[in-house]
Amino acid sequence: MDNPERERKNFWQRIHLDLPLLTALLCLMGLGVAVIYSAGGGDTGLIIRQLTRLGLAIVVMLVVAQIPPAFYQRWAVPLFALGCGMLVAVLLFGHVGKGAQRWLDIGVTKFQPSEIMKLAVPIMLAWFISRKPLPPTFRDVFIGFVLVLTPTLLIAKQPDLGTSLLIASSGIFVLFLAGLSWKIIGGMVLAFSAFLPIMWFFIMHAYQKQRVLTFLDPQQDKLGSGYHIIQSQIAIGSGGVSGKGWLNGTQSQLEFLPERHTDFIFAVFAEEFGLFGILFLLALYLYIVGRGMVIAMRAQEAFTRLLAGSIMLTFFVYVFVNIGMVSGLLPVVGVPLPLVSYGGTSMLTLMAGFGIVMAISTHRRLLHNNR
Amino acid sequence: MWVKRRVAIRDHAAEANLFTRRASIALVGVLFLLFLLLYKAYKLQVEQFSDFQTQADGNRIKVQAVAPNRGLISDRNGKLLAVNKPVYNLDIIAEEVDDMDVLIEEIGQLINLEERHIKRFRRDLRGTSRFNPVTLKTRLSEQEAAVISVHQHKFPGVIIDAVLKRNYPYQETLTHAVGYVAKINPKDKAKLEAEEKTANYKATKDIGKLGLERYYEELLHGQVGYRRVEVNNRGRVIRELEMEEPIPGENLILHLDLELQQMAQQLLEGHRGSIVVLDAQSNGIFTLYSNPSYDANLFVHGISSKNYRALLNSKDKPLINRATQGRYAPASTVKPHIALLGLDEQLVTAETRMRDPGFYQIKGIDHKYRDWKKYGHGWVDVYKAIEESCDTYFYDLALRLGIDKISEKMNRFGFGEQTGIDIFEETGAVMPSQGWKRARWRQPWYAGDTISIGIGQGYWTATPLQIALSTSVLANRGQFFEPKLLAAMQHPNGEIERVPEQDRPPLVLKDDSHWQTIIDAMDNTLNKENGTAYKAFKDAKYRAAGKTGTAQIISIAQDAEYDADAIDERFRDNALFVAFAPIEKPEIVVAVIMENVGGGSSNAAPVARKLMDHYFDHKKPSAFHQADMEYKLANNKDIEIEGLLTSQVTAD
């Protein structure tokens, strides 16, 4: 069919990838591996494990990108219900690791259902809100909040403050992007400020309160939890404008810095590459978020727009919370620096999210295309 | 469900615009937050730069964990069976070396360096931070360590690292009892984590894997210490600021007698088998030897897979602790126990006589159960039945007792149950019963099965330790102490604390005099001319009682593949012998099992005789209250490493 109006599909579109976004992600991963190499004291085993995980994450992204977004629309409710069910299961019979109950043992392997919710919540919300014309009615906004708060509270109870924060924001971003009225936003902010003292006295665990106190005054607990923040600020600060150079950060090489290759990897980066390095890293993150938002704006349907927008903004929350925490701007919350930190399940979820964004950018319906 | 009440008319363009507006607002927010991060970085890295730089340079205090010295293990006379020996490694910190090739060459002129050392060193170097030490050569001889130390000032970046490693001076003599330590593996780590002991093992490299080393890991390990050290700008320790000393583990003093153990080893040389010697007063274990054995030191430095395969695949199965894991038919050594049961159940009296034509038949069945003596023992009472080890007498008695009665009472002698010995490598073996056979073989129990039980064969299996223990219970007229290797502990302050015996409910007979009847019969076995062990114990300076045994072969190597050449030998009988002495107030119990050597009276009994002779010739008072021994152990507690920098295993 020689439809002249039809967009000519290039190679990248045919395999459903967005080249600019992919390039930026690979840059970030490469940077991450270099910093892990330095933070790990040249431990090649660590690098091999990280590369394996990155490879797996890229495969996950590739696979997810092949699935048309309409699929998620159809499966939004079952996926969400399943996720909530598993969260309840974790609370009832979950595996306790490191003092928190986050893992569900399904015989073969242990996994964290909260990871699934990182995608299930925005999918559910985007589906729910986009069913009717936007902006959403007050009633739908109310139901939307209930949908967000249910998994958030279940995860906060595990307790996993970092993840519940990320999941809450992913849902709230959908509502915001859908055109949540400013009055409600104002009301929410007021309500939240009122809620803070209640949280402090009735909900937060002692160790969470300790983190906040330590954040406010790290010097009061120099060898305990304040140690992390003090050492990490020394690392960042002593990096100066141009940094000490790769593999030469004394704070990290002499092992003063805790959690060097995981949550506090930004401090290693900042020590060795300085302010210029930070500038570059932040620019890279900005580019990724910006590119994602452009994809969202170009999407053809409300559902895909909201979903892509929420995924990208949540990604930015990761960046902000992690760097904010490491540099002493925010209290210590266990959130990794996305695609740079060593490890884990959260990277797979992030890359699956990018797979969805790429699917949104490449699975376009021809009907709407002839403008 | 939310039913659409009216068909909403969507204005797609308006919705897209709305989204674009909101997305733009969000992006402005993103930009603002990024700016905030950048501002914070600017404050830290530019405004407060010199402040933080000073702090980073002054960041010199590190806390290191210091491993405690592992407790020593000694025999009852203070002879050390497990010690800690310094092992020297030559490490290099790359950061401090100007020219690595020159350095390696210079070191090579002082000590012997092989190509493979250098190769491995260069490989490890690539995988480690330049600030961390990399090992060039492990296990330097003391002379090599001394040579390098003398020249150390010429070689910046070179360190002689001394660590304490476990050493077993008697190599294979005690492996099955003392066991060994080896490197902590991921499985051990997971276990330590589960038990929340990770902090205590922070600087520890090895952990008990077998025998006492494993059983008493917690006592032996001790408590981790810490030291705060000052490091230079390259991470090297310059001085120690503060030290919280580690607390060494408990020294263990065993019931074990090294000389008897060594003698057992010599006596079993060339045979598969096991010897157990117990202190009859407490069931403390004087000797626990299983042959063949292997050198425990092989495992401490990591056994090569070639050596390990050789041990694993050897048809003599050296890795099995025959004394506690070998399942042997106890054979005639349990005839006294069966006889005791018969007396107590009033099925026979000391005077009851029966005629033995050389075989036994169940009424109405043709099959003849043969006695070992072709034409029989003639008229037999309980004494003669034990002295001459008459089979027919016990076929009949067992059948009349019934398997469940036998099974129940034999449990009270320790058969079919773990003895409670303080090592984990132990089986309870099998004391069969009707229920057991149904569960294990899904078959009913036949009368013929009971007949074999009467002479300690058939489904009945026991470990040498169980056989020794049951003899001790008999010699002590029902008193039951669990056999233990550990006699006492020496605390880090030098104080010695005895470990109390652990008893189980004693076996009480309806008529106490039956004990004497059976003990007399066992006395005759060794001291009357018709006794099966008369020759072996002729002219002994002490009076012993005992019982011989000869088992048709169901050896522990049942599942092993048979080497055609070896078949003949491996179908020969197992020789067994148990004895205790002196009869009135027993001090020592001996059990000997030798695989595939033939009869018990001619093979096993002479071995027990030699052990008993040695014991009574060299009898010493139990040693662990003696001041002399306390001195010995205290001196062995700290092993000085003179002239060298590092003396303890440390980790961050």
Side-chain angles (χ1 to χ4, degrees):
Chain A
M1 287 208 282
D2 270 6
N3 188 346
E5 296 289 311
R6 182 177 172 181
E7 247 178 90
R8 215 185 288 135
K9 285 196 169 183
N10 65 19
F11 170 73
W12 296 104
Q13 278 167 333
R14 237 173 290 139
I15 62 164
H16 299 296
L17 292 181
D18 182 69
L19 187 59
L21 190 53
L22 180 67
T23 315
L25 291 178
L26 290 178
C27 258
L28 200 56
M29 289 174 171
L31 197 71
V33 170
V35 184
I36 291 172
Y37 182 81
S38 172
D43 181 347
T44 39
L46 206 67
I47 297 301
I48 290 167
R49 284 197 294 281
Q50 176 75 350
L51 286 177
T52 316
R53 218 172 272 136
L54 286 172
L56 185 67
I58 290 172
V59 170
V60 166
M61 179 191 75
L62 257 169
V63 171
V64 172
Q66 310 309 312
I67 304 170
F71 175 84
Y72 303 111
Q73 221 163 349
R74 228 171 303 131
W75 288 90
V77 179
L79 188 67
F80 183 80
L82 179 76
C84 283
M86 284 195 295
L87 284 179
V88 173
V90 163
L91 284 183
L92 294 183
F93 0 80
H95 179 85
V96 181
K98 291 185 182 172
Q101 209 170 6
R102 298 173 190 176
W103 303 88
L104 197 57
D105 202 335
I106 50 162
V108 206
T109 174
K110 280 180 288 187
F111 83 115
Q112 284 176 279
S114 53
E115 288 299 323
I116 290 184
M117 290 314 269
K118 283 183 184 167
L119 292 173
V121 167
I123 290 173
M124 178 70 192
L125 262 284
W127 169 79
F128 178 70
I129 294 296
S130 66
R131 284 161 59 251
K132 291 187 214 160
L134 301 179
T137 61
F138 181 78
R139 189 183 120 112
D140 281 359
V141 167
F142 178 77
I143 297 171
F145 268 112
V146 172
L147 289 177
V148 179
L149 279 179
T150 312
T152 304
L153 291 179
L154 283 174
I155 294 167
K157 189 129 182 63
Q158 286 180 355
D160 186 349
L161 213 55
T163 309
S164 69
L165 182 80
L166 288 166
I167 284 173
S169 35
S170 72
I172 291 169
F173 285 142
V174 172
L175 294 175
F176 174 78
L177 291 171
L180 182 63
S181 89
W182 290 104
K183 280 181 206 154
I184 300 182
I185 296 175
M188 293 302 302
V189 171
L190 279 177
F192 184 71
S193 341
F195 184 62
L196 273 179
I198 298 178
M199 217 165 97
W200 177 263
F201 288 112
F202 298 107
I203 296 181
M204 283 170 80
H205 285 247
Y207 83 96
Q208 290 166 333
K209 286 189 209 174
Q210 185 56 46
R211 278 186 185 174
V212 176
L213 287 176
T214 307
F215 157 70
L216 294 173
D217 182 15
Q219 298 292 338
Q220 65 152 2
D221 187 15
K222 253 183 173 163
L223 286 173
S225 48
Y227 182 79
H228 281 42
I229 297 175
I230 295 170
Q231 292 300 336
S232 124
Q233 287 194 340
I234 295 174
I236 299 173
S238 64
V241 176
S242 52
K244 296 175 187 171
W246 188 49
L247 301 183
N248 282 324
T250 52
Q251 280 291 105
S252 28
Q253 299 300 329
L254 298 182
E255 303 176 357
F256 286 111
L257 197 59
E259 310 275 350
R260 286 182 297 282
H261 52 276
T262 53
D263 284 359
F264 279 76
I265 197 159
F266 177 79
V268 178
F269 176 82
E271 185 185 20
E272 299 190 345
F273 297 99
L275 193 58
F276 287 136
I278 293 179
L279 210 53
F280 175 76
L281 183 73
L282 294 185
L284 198 54
Y285 277 125
L286 178 62
Y287 178 78
I288 291 172
V289 174
R291 176 68 197 168
M293 292 310 280
V294 168
I295 288 173
M297 286 187 228
R298 282 191 195 157
Q300 295 149 313
E301 294 159 26
F303 171 71
T304 47
R305 269 199 294 269
L306 294 177
L307 182 55
S310 161
I311 289 173
M312 294 318 299
L313 291 178
T314 311
F315 173 76
F316 178 73
V317 172
Y318 268 92
V319 178
F320 180 73
V321 170
N322 177 275
I323 299 182
M325 140 187 119
V326 174
S327 56
L329 209 56
L330 296 174
V332 174
V333 184
V335 171
L337 187 60
L339 305 185
V340 175
S341 280
Y342 173 83
T345 34
S346 72
M347 178 160 44
L348 291 181
T349 321
L350 275 169
M351 289 300 279
F354 281 111
I356 292 176
V357 172
M358 292 196 178
I360 288 169
S361 108
T362 54
H363 291 264
R364 304 174 75 92
R365 284 189 195 161
L366 292 173
L367 187 73
H368 297 271
N369 245 352
N370 29 3
R371 312 181 183 183
Chain B
M1 289 303 294
W2 303 276
V3 183
K4 286 183 193 169
R5 292 208 189 89
R6 60 196 150 87
V7 180
I9 299 160
R10 293 186 92 129
D11 183 343
H12 287 283
E15 281 188 14
N17 280 339
L18 172 64
F19 181 85
T20 308
R21 264 201 321 277
R22 284 295 168 101
S24 309
I25 295 170
L27 275 175
V28 170
V30 166
L31 271 172
F32 170 74
L33 292 178
L34 279 176
F35 176 76
L36 204 64
L37 291 179
L38 204 60
Y39 174 68
K40 178 74 186 179
Y42 171 83
K43 257 179 73 177
L44 291 173
Q45 296 191 304
V46 178
E47 283 183 8
Q48 296 170 276
F49 170 67
S50 56
D51 187 18
F52 281 121
Q53 194 184 31
T54 322
Q55 282 194 45
D57 285 344
N59 221 346
R60 294 280 181 261
I61 316 287
K62 284 175 110 175
V63 178
Q64 291 180 324
V66 184
N69 286 356
R70 197 172 175 85
L72 308 177
I73 301 179
S74 87
D75 88 337
R76 62 191 293 101
N77 300 311
K79 297 231 175 70
L80 288 169
L81 312 178
V83 297
N84 304 318
K85 259 175 86 173
V87 168
Y88 308 98
N89 295 331
L90 197 162
D91 296 347
I92 297 179
I93 296 175
E95 167 74 10
E96 299 177 21
V97 177
D98 295 330
D99 190 331
M100 189 63 80
D101 296 323
V102 174
L103 178 70
I104 290 176
E105 176 144 358
E106 284 176 345
I107 291 174
Q109 284 164 1
L110 292 173
I111 64 170
N112 173 38
L113 272 186
E114 284 165 38
E115 200 48 48
R116 64 189 172 93
H117 292 137
I118 299 169
K119 239 184 185 166
R120 199 191 43 208
F121 171 70
R122 291 202 181 276
R123 194 195 63 214
D124 292 349
L125 208 56
R126 278 193 293 275
T128 318
S129 156
R130 290 180 303 123
F131 295 90
N132 287 339
V134 177
T135 302
L136 175 61
K137 189 178 180 185
T138 56
R139 295 163 77 184
L140 267 62
S141 70
E142 290 200 17
Q143 198 201 345
E144 285 176 325
V147 169
I148 297 291
S149 305
V150 169
H151 294 275
Q152 204 165 30
H153 62 277
K154 287 197 285 187
F155 304 134
V158 171
I159 9 176
I160 296 287
D161 179 38
V163 295
L164 292 179
K165 275 275 183 189
R166 201 60 151 177
N167 181 269
Y168 304 100
Y170 300 98
Q171 296 168 337
E172 77 278 4
T173 308
L174 297 133
T175 304
H176 288 124
V178 172
Y180 54 78
V181 300
K183 203 172 158 192
I184 295 177
N185 64 25
K187 223 172 111 193
D188 302 322
K189 241 179 223 162
K191 195 167 161 260
L192 289 172
E193 229 160 78
E195 291 167 3
E196 293 183 357
K197 290 180 186 160
T198 325
N200 200 23
Y201 279 76
K202 218 169 173 191
T204 307
K205 298 266 196 299
D206 297 323
I207 193 165
K209 300 268 185 172
L210 187 86
L212 291 166
E213 292 273 30
R214 176 159 161 240
Y215 193 91
Y216 291 116
E217 171 64 31
E218 198 165 335
L219 292 178
L220 286 164
H221 179 269
Q223 202 61 43
V224 69
Y226 290 96
R227 57 176 187 172
R228 281 156 61 84
V229 292
E230 192 176 332
V231 296
N232 66 12
N233 59 0
R234 288 161 163 191
R236 282 284 296 277
V237 175
I238 325 170
R239 71 196 166 102
E240 192 177 286
L241 299 172
E242 210 182 312
M243 173 86 156
E244 188 192 314
E245 293 280 351
I247 302 166
E250 307 272 336
N251 292 327
L252 303 187
I253 302 164
L254 307 183
H255 286 290
L256 218 87
D257 184 313
L258 178 64
E259 283 177 31
L260 270 179
Q261 178 87 3
Q262 283 173 323
M263 199 168 167
Q265 186 188 1
Q266 283 159 20
L267 290 168
L268 282 184
E269 190 164 348
H271 301 290
R272 290 176 302 280
S274 172
I275 291 177
V276 176
V277 182
L278 299 178
D279 173 355
Q281 294 300 305
S282 64
N283 285 349
I285 298 172
F286 283 156
T287 299
L288 188 85
Y289 184 72
S290 167
N291 207 49
S293 185
Y294 55 96
D295 185 355
N297 293 306
L298 283 175
F299 285 86
V300 179
H301 295 281
I303 187 166
S304 71
S305 59
K306 190 180 138 225
N307 281 343
Y308 186 63
R309 264 200 313 276
L311 285 176
L312 199 63
N313 298 335
S314 161
K315 63 177 171 16
D316 290 339
K317 307 264 174 221
L319 292 177
I320 288 177
N321 185 352
R322 286 173 158 77
T324 53
Q325 294 174 311
R327 296 158 186 254
Y328 297 91
S332 309
T333 58
V334 291
K335 279 176 183 166
H337 307 75
I338 302 270
L340 185 72
L341 219 54
L343 292 173
D344 204 44
E345 295 295 321
Q346 291 166 326
L347 295 174
V348 289
T349 65
E351 290 78 36
T352 310
R353 296 203 305 164
M354 69 170 280
R355 230 190 96 68
D356 167 28
F359 60 86
Y360 178 78
Q361 273 180 308
I362 306 176
K363 274 194 190 91
I365 298 177
D366 277 345
H367 185 80
K368 286 180 176 172
Y369 293 90
R370 303 226 158 255
D371 196 283
W372 64 269
K373 203 169 175 185
K374 202 167 178 192
Y375 300 107
H377 299 267
W379 285 102
V380 180
D381 62 5
V382 69
Y383 296 102
K384 193 169 165 191
I386 290 174
E387 287 155 24
E388 298 185 6
S389 202
C390 169
D391 290 339
T392 313
Y393 184 92
F394 289 99
Y395 291 150
D396 176 63
L397 186 52
L399 206 57
R400 289 200 282 149
L401 278 164
I403 180 59
D404 286 342
K405 185 103 227 159
I406 298 177
S407 193
E408 182 205 323
K409 290 288 176 186
M410 287 305 149
N411 286 155
R412 304 293 302 277
F413 280 105
F415 287 110
E417 286 172 0
Q418 299 203 337
T419 60
I421 187 186
D422 39 1
I423 58 176
F424 289 114
E425 298 76 28
E426 194 197 9
T427 170
V430 177
M431 184 64 238
S433 64
Q434 296 200 39
W436 172 84
K437 194 178 175 193
R438 259 199 310 279
R440 175 71 179 77
W441 297 101
R442 302 186 183 286
Q443 275 175 15
W445 185 269
Y446 299 114
D449 293 336
T450 312
I451 286 187
S452 315
I453 295 301
I455 58 162
Q457 302 219 37
Y459 291 112
W460 190 351
T461 58
T463 64
L465 180 63
Q466 282 176 329
I467 294 170
L469 175 63
S470 75
T471 308
S472 168
V473 173
L474 214 159
N476 286 300
R477 295 158 198 255
Q479 198 174 42
F480 192 125
F481 289 116
E482 292 185 352
K484 298 282 179 198
L485 288 160
L486 183 65
M489 290 179 286
Q490 187 188 38
H491 303 310
N493 62 10
E495 224 169 82
I496 288 180
E497 183 194 335
R498 291 204 60 160
V499 179
E501 290 96 5
Q502 287 198 16
D503 58 345
R504 292 189 190 172
L507 179 62
V508 182
L509 297 185
K510 287 166 196 152
D511 179 351
D512 244 9
S513 69
H514 297 322
W515 291 112
Q516 195 56 49
T517 310
I518 297 302
I519 290 170
D520 285 344
M522 291 174 82
D523 180 359
N524 295 347
T525 306
L526 270 61
N527 300 305
K528 232 176 96 180
E529 262 177 72
N530 67 330
T532 49
Y534 174 72
K535 259 190 254 165
F537 276 83
K538 214 174 155 191
D539 303 328
K541 287 183 202 145
Y542 47 89
R543 192 150 175 113
K547 182 74 194 76
T548 58
T550 305
Q552 284 155 20
I553 232 30
I554 305 168
S555 85
I556 57 153
Q558 245 180 340
D559 54 345
E561 283 178 31
Y562 282 112
D563 184 0
D565 292 342
I567 275 184
D568 282 348
E569 195 223 316
R570 288 190 181 238
F571 278 114
R572 260 190 254 157
D573 293 345
N574 285 349
L576 290 90
F577 185 72
V578 294
F580 60 90
I583 294 172
E584 268 59 56
K585 191 171 184 290
E587 287 175 25
I588 177 173
V589 175
V590 177
V592 176
I593 288 189
M594 295 163 84
E595 295 175 25
N596 316 118
V597 293
S601 46
S602 52
N603 295 289
V607 166
R609 165 81 193 263
K610 282 184 192 137
L611 285 163
M612 285 191 156
D613 282 355
H614 179 93
Y615 173 83
F616 285 105
D617 288 348
H618 299 86
K619 225 164 95 173
K620 278 171 267 188
S622 186
F624 32 73
H625 338 268
Q626 292 176 3
D628 153 64
M629 162 131 170
E630 285 177 30
Y631 172 78
K632 259 190 207 165
L633 279 169
N635 268 343
N636 277 312
K637 206 176 68 186
D638 310 297
I639 295 172
E640 292 287 328
I641 305 172
E642 279 173 42
L644 293 172
L645 274 176
T646 340
S647 65
Q648 264 139 335
V649 185
T650 57
D652 299 306

